[in-house]
Amino acid sequence: MPATCVIGLQWGDEAKGKLVDLLAPNYDVVVRYQGGANAGHTVVTGSEVYKLHHVPSGILSSHIQNVICPGVVIEPNMLIKELTGLESRGIQPRLNLKISERAHVVMPWHMIEDQAINKTVVSGESIGTTNRGIGPCYRDKVGRTHAIRMADLISPSLPNRISEIVQAKRTLLAPLASREELDQLDADRITSLCRTWADSLGSMICDTTYFLHDQLDEGKGAQGSLLDIDHGTFPFVTSSNASGVGVTSGSGIPPRAIDRMIGVAKAYSTRVGGGPFPTELLDATGNKIREIGREYGTTTGRPRRCGWFDAVAVRYTARLSGANYLSLMMLDVLSHFDELKVCVAYELDGQRIDRLPCQADVLRRCQPIYETLPGWNHDVTKVRSMKDFPVNARKYMDRISELVSVPLGVVSVGPDRQQTIFLI
Ligand code: GDP
Ligand code: IMO
Ligand code: MG
């Protein structure tokens, strides 16, 4: 079975969840391969609104097997809450969810560490993490000595392992954490918490890698490519490979099994948390985009920073992820502007550049060079076919596709499943 990947091409929240929910019925398996509870995907089906964090967005179709892969970091309390929330709405996620025994567990010390370190400043600005323990958990994964994987939750040696790690963490975190926080790091309490997690999740924990080798199908990342640890706007990034390059390492699927990459981008840009954002609009236009697009974080509720579409950044991420098709989302939000700007290059120290610089400080100095396109001032939320779009909306989409060098595959004109036009 050929595999399709859905990748965010900006700084997250490109509406990947909506697209995966729509594509899912054509597939047997939907996998999530990196990130953790930092992700927040809103899926709207008629009057129902679902907010997913760990659980892949294929969960709303009961015939689909959903898989949380080795590259994901799992906060079990939140995952259990998410499953219970779905159950209370008549969905039975436990019947079609597999969780990799290799996935790492976000432990209570990771949350404490994230909150303590998040307050510090790098390159003059706080990263503004989601405080979900993501960075510290991945740090321990790479560090190896203090890591806990899902398989450990069901291992008889768990109490010893927890006790050793708690001892080490209490020492390491002493200068950073409050007394109250350190008191939460009690080995017996955490061991019994792990037992509760194992009781609730144990039946879903398995070797997903062998399962996927037999099933190869659809993969989806969380976050956006510009938040990729190796290729994004470092250090203002997340701690995993959120771009297409992470698909194979995070999922365990070999590269040659993937035959289609769909890059998802909003028709403008948003970003949550700190970091350079060349096209950011700190004015009434930015506020207007935020209010019309309801640009508030699904996970943290923070107002998203808003700005014009940045074709330099998306051209880079589309190439990085090898996008075959562009899924352009939130086009409806731009229906209320007389004119629209698209960043086609940057000006850096008097020079025109068309590449995304690697240094955050340098990107911060880049001034966007804009091309102005006429708006369409016409509600497009009921458009269901390309021919029904106002001509200026067509021109806007065609120009973006041309600048990014990727053909349009999907256009979204509202949060609902119906408000989507497929060209593929
Ligand atoms: P994800 O993290 O990439 O899955 O994206 P989020 O779910 O965090 O953010 C996207 C938001 O936009 C959600 O609230 C969606 O319901 C909403 N949405 C999706 N597509 C559209 C669209 O075409 N137009 C509008 N106005 N909203 C959309
Ligand atoms: P989805 O999957 C938007 C951002 C945070 C912060 C940086 C690091 O919904 O697109 P972390 O907690 O990961 O260490 O925070 O990354 N961030 C996201 N921004 N959407 C997301 O996920 C994000 N996940 C992390 O705001 O700037
Ligand atoms: Mg989101």
Side-chain angles (χ1 to χ4, degrees), residues 8 12-18 39-44 49 51 57 220 223 264 266 268 292-299 304 328-333 411-416 419:
D13 305 323
E14 298 91 345
K16 302 172 291 289
K18 169 181 168 163
H41 310 303
T42 304
V43 178
V44 180
V49 179
K51 295 192 184 291
S57 308
K220 178 186 146 288
Q223 290 81 51
V264 192
K266 294 183 192 200
Y268 47 91
I292 300 174
R294 298 206 202 110
E295 292 293 359
Y296 293 88
T298 307
T299 300
R304 294 176 182 148
L328 195 62
M329 315 305 274
M330 324 275 199
L331 193 76
D332 53 301
V333 176
V411 180
S412 174
V413 292
D416 199 74
Q419 296 173 298

